[in-house]
Amino acid sequence: MVTTSSQPTDAAEIASASAANNPNPIAKEDSMIEVDDVSFSYDMGKTNVLKNISFNIPAGKVTALIGPSGCGKSTLLRCLNRMNDLVDTSKVTTGQIRIMGQDINASDVDPIELRKQVGMVFQKYNPFPKSIYDNVAYGLRIQGIKNKSKLNEAVEKSLQRAALWSEVKDRLNSSALGLSGGQQQRLCIARTIAVNPRIVLMDEPCSALDPIATARIEELIAELQEEFTIVIVTHNMQQATRVSDRTAFFYLGELIEYNDTATIFANPSVRHTEDYVSGRFG
Amino acid sequence: MATHFKRKGKRVLGVGRQDAIRFFFGGNAMISTFVLGAICIFLAREAAMFFPQHQRELEVFRLTGQEYTNFVIEEMDEYTEVKSLTNQAFYQEMNEAYGIQRGLVDSFGALSGNLFDDGEDLIEELEDARDAVDDADEEEAKTLAQTELDGIQAKWDNFLQAELGKADRTAVDSFGRLGKKEWQELLDAMTAWDPVEDQPPALVEAAKSEMNKGMAAFDAARMLIGSAGSELSKLRGELIKVTTAIKDEAVADKSSAARKKALLEGSVNAATKEDRARLKEQAEKITIRKNFPYAERITALEGSREKHKAAIAALEADLKPGIAALPTDLASAQAQDLVSRIREKGPELIAYLDQSLQESADWRYDQPVSWITSVTSFFFGKDWVTNSSFHDFYGLLPLFTGSLLISIIALIVAIPFSLGAAIYVNRLAGPKQQNIIKPIIELIGAIPSVVLGFFGIIVLGEALREISQVPWLSWVPGFPMQERLNILNAGLLLALMAVPTIFTLCEDAINNVPSSFTEASLALGGSKLQTVMRVVVPTAVSGILAAILLGFGRVIGETMVVLLVAGNQIAIPDFGLGVGVITQPAHTMTGIIAQEMGEVTSGTIHYRALFSVGLVLFTISLLINISARRIIKRFGLAA
Ligand SMILES: Nc1ncnc2c1ncn2[C@@H]1O[C@H](COP(=O)(O)OP(=O)(O)O)[C@@H](O)[C@H]1O
Ligand SMILES: [Mg+2]
């Protein structure tokens, strides 16, 4: 079925084709995150890993980022909470990222304060080698909260919201590393939402889990979207259709198409998107 | 097709190159294992032979009554400590309360002494001239003698004037007790001093009587305490003499058979007839006994028990009122401190004396010595005394305490430095700083320990002492320091040696903390420092612990620095000083081996005692290494 002629080889070509038809732009007022012409480089601007990305992420919805491996999904996600600051030579070369209207790369923005509002769940579950309780309480403790009953309450609430409470309530003081993989990932979600962020970023949160554990996380995401704006990177097309409201397709560092998830999968306007979502490459 | 798979390369005696390389490295590994095994066996064998030998020595110690004598010696030692504290307190107080007076008396003594030395001839002339005047009967002779005397007197006056004029105040009053005014007054008074009569000036007399009067009560108490032990001291001397004689005889007796044999052989081979006869006669004089008659000899101690009891009673009878009579309101804070220490120690001493007397009363010369005593008196013995004319003691405790205290100080200092540097280099510093700091710290490990020791003696010791003498630091326990070479000094240098070890291993441990933990913490809004303190260090803690243990192994085995800098005093440091104990000198397990091993004859008990110390050290190092390995294995995550 695959013909070489139908495979666009140049991402820029594809992008220019798509730029014209963005049929469902999010109104500025409804968007939580505005990505405005962002280019990003890991080597002080020599080569750009992200190229002139522009799109708005709506509040209170789940937005999925999809695309073949290496296209820059994780990079974009880590731009949103400035985790890329850890790479000394990294740099946003053009454009702005605004969260709730505020340019997050402005000189007066403290990345620590930003990260309290923009939480992150990683690809490989990474609870601290501490007790379950201490893991969930960690974010609050580093904010200086010592009050025991306040912590207890927050820990219980977060574990409940992460649908983990009933499974661990009797062993809060045992090591988090004794939990199963899926439980550990849900614990990481509990840990993230314990500090009450506005946004939760998830980078392929199920890629290390079995199908049952994956299903539980997906359910959880559906519940959490009522309270949080969620941005999720996923490799799994079905997952994107199951959990997300909107989907952005990336290819070689460029945003190819962005639309309602249903539209992207049922009726993509760019040929390349169609090839990808139907599994013809990637 | 088989040729495709044939071995390539030349083969010598059927051994290919790969095999040769394998044999070479395998052989090296085998030799290392073998050498280690040999060392263990050798150490263990020599050390194992120590204990039976030690048991026999202790048997002799008991049979000869030296053990009984030792009760008295230790009682005397304890008492002497209180006595010397009293003397210290007395002189401290005297200097504080009557410093000027003492200055006047001492300075007068020094000045007149100088005058007697320098003006010896003149003083003699003066004396003779005066005698001449007194002896002259006739008027005429008297006037003649008088004019001569006047001349000499004038000469003396001039001499005295000149001498006083050039008197060096800092040399005469070397403790600086006199002010400018007092010094001048003393010089003025001295101008009228007559060397023949040698009467101190009124000024000095007054000072002396004032001082004596003021210190009279203290002095009386001091005298009482000081003389309390005179009977015990006498008994001690007697017992040492008697029991040492018994021991010498017993030791000689033991070798009698060998000596006799040697003499007889000599008598056969001697050149002249007389020699032969003489040697034979000598040989015959030696009687060989199967058993040395200890029971008979020990009767020399008869009556000692009664004397001992009486001496202790006399001591306590004087000590109690003596301590009670010590003045309470003292001008010198140091003296006050000392007196309160004496008051604490007094009842302790008396309790100790009573107990020791009781134990000595139960002592029997013919009680067998068990092997357990041989072992415990090595591991828990408080004395390490060798080449003594009385008895040699092989007690590990002073050496062990010294090694332990020095290592603990080294670790207390080294841990925060190494850990802090490791955290900084690994997590907070930029790559440029990393590239500077890391090699520098690792280079510290390349300094030869003898150089460090030299530095400790010349620079650090001097600096520490100067600092400790700063008046406003005198509240620090142990300050001012009496000794330049001490536990603190050695501990600080060893800390320097431990830093590279602990730093490198800590840095490894921290480096091994998975970055996913760090990222999780940062993503939750943690600062860099919070992340380090709450996630990185706790995660690396097993590796850090292993690093500290290995650092401990490094310092407890170090020899050169402690030998040069620790002060080498074989005694358990006085823990009565609290933390100040670290300003005292000490000896160590490594130091003693290095110092004494070269001088001992192999096979003697002293030689084997040193091996036993070596074995203890080896065991400690082994245990440390094994536990470090265990920790790393068990909590392997970050190490
Ligand atoms: N820390 C980094 N330093 C340099 N290059 C990086 C770094 N992380 C990712 N990259 C590069 O950036 C590109 C995008 O990577 P990434 O965002 O991880 O892709 P995705 O998550 O879509 O698979 C890749 O070419 C990758 O090699
Ligand atoms: Mg990725």
Side-chain angles (χ1 to χ4, degrees), chain A residues 42 49 68-76 87 203-204 233:
Chain A
Y42 278 118
V49 172
S69 172
C71 69
K73 307 178 297 287
S74 297
T75 302
L76 176 62
V87 181
D203 192 351
E204 302 192 38
V233 171

Side-chain angles (χ1 to χ4, degrees), chain B residues 53-332:
Chain B
Q53 204 169 352
H54 193 213
Q55 188 179 356
R56 283 197 295 279
E57 293 260 319
L58 289 174
E59 237 160 43
V60 173
F61 186 51
R62 181 165 290 175
L63 284 167
T64 55
Q66 283 191 312
E67 194 175 30
Y68 187 85
T69 308
N70 202 44
F71 280 113
V72 180
I73 292 175
E74 286 187 351
E75 286 158 12
M76 257 323 266
D77 287 350
E78 293 292 319
Y79 156 73
T80 308
E81 211 187 310
V82 171
K83 185 171 151 181
S84 85
L85 283 178
T86 316
N87 282 333
Q88 277 176 40
F90 178 79
Y91 286 109
Q92 289 278 4
E93 175 64 7
M94 185 146 108
N95 290 343
E96 181 71 28
Y98 298 99
I100 293 174
Q101 285 82 346
R102 191 166 181 205
L104 284 172
V105 174
D106 287 359
S107 300
F108 166 70
L111 276 175
S112 56
N114 288 348
L115 288 166
F116 276 126
D117 286 350
D118 297 347
E120 204 181 337
D121 300 338
L122 201 52
I123 293 170
E124 234 164 72
E125 273 180 55
L126 193 63
E127 207 168 349
D128 290 347
R130 285 196 191 161
D131 287 347
V133 172
D134 289 344
D135 292 347
D137 308 323
E138 291 159 34
E139 200 64 26
E140 211 168 311
K142 210 168 186 101
T143 28
L144 207 68
Q146 186 65 47
T147 28
E148 179 147 347
L149 174 60
D150 288 347
I152 295 172
Q153 181 72 45
K155 236 161 106 186
W156 164 259
D157 287 344
N158 281 339
F159 170 75
L160 180 62
Q161 207 68 46
E163 284 289 301
L164 291 177
K166 65 182 187 203
D168 179 0
R169 182 168 146 203
T170 51
V172 174
D173 179 27
S174 54
F175 288 94
R177 294 187 173 114
L178 296 181
K180 213 169 179 160
K181 180 170 144 269
E182 286 90 17
W183 173 250
Q184 199 50 54
E185 278 170 4
L186 177 66
L187 288 186
D188 290 349
M190 284 292 286
T191 51
W193 180 65
D194 189 294
V196 180
E197 281 157 30
D198 188 19
Q199 283 297 317
L203 177 75
V204 175
E205 287 284 18
K208 202 168 177 175
S209 75
E210 194 185 340
M211 182 166 85
N212 287 343
K213 219 171 107 206
M215 295 298 293
F218 202 153
D219 201 26
R222 176 172 78 109
M223 287 306 183
L224 206 53
I225 294 172
S227 63
S230 53
E231 259 182 72
L232 192 65
S233 166
K234 225 171 79 199
L235 179 65
R236 175 178 177 271
E238 275 169 27
L239 281 176
I240 290 180
K241 219 168 106 193
V242 172
T243 55
T244 309
I246 299 176
K247 182 191 172 182
D248 289 347
E249 201 193 339
V251 169
D253 194 63
K254 220 166 122 195
S255 64
S256 59
R259 275 184 300 133
K260 186 163 193 162
K261 196 167 153 235
L263 280 174
L264 281 176
E265 268 171 24
S267 76
V268 174
N269 300 329
T272 65
K273 209 171 163 194
E274 293 92 75
D275 275 353
R276 263 179 297 217
R278 191 172 49 76
L279 289 172
K280 192 153 185 222
E281 195 188 342
Q282 280 181 359
E284 258 142 33
K285 263 197 212 150
I286 298 175
T287 49
I288 299 177
R289 277 174 293 213
K290 214 162 148 216
N291 288 311
F292 185 77
Y294 286 110
E296 192 183 298
R297 295 295 187 278
I298 206 78
T299 51
L301 260 67
E302 246 167 45
S304 296
R305 289 183 200 263
E306 281 313 307
K307 275 195 208 164
H308 188 188
K309 221 160 129 183
I312 295 283
L315 197 163
E316 292 183 359
D318 279 358
L319 188 73
K320 279 178 205 167
I323 292 181
L326 286 171
T328 37
D329 250 355
L330 295 177
S332 150

Side-chain angles (χ1 to χ4, degrees), chain A residues 65-70 73 123 204 207 233-240 276 282:
Chain A
L65 311 183
I66 61 170
S69 172
K73 307 178 297 287
Q123 185 165 358
E204 302 192 38
S207 67
V233 171
T234 178
H235 221 79
N236 180 325
M237 298 310 130
Q238 281 74 34
Q239 183 167 68
Y276 182 73

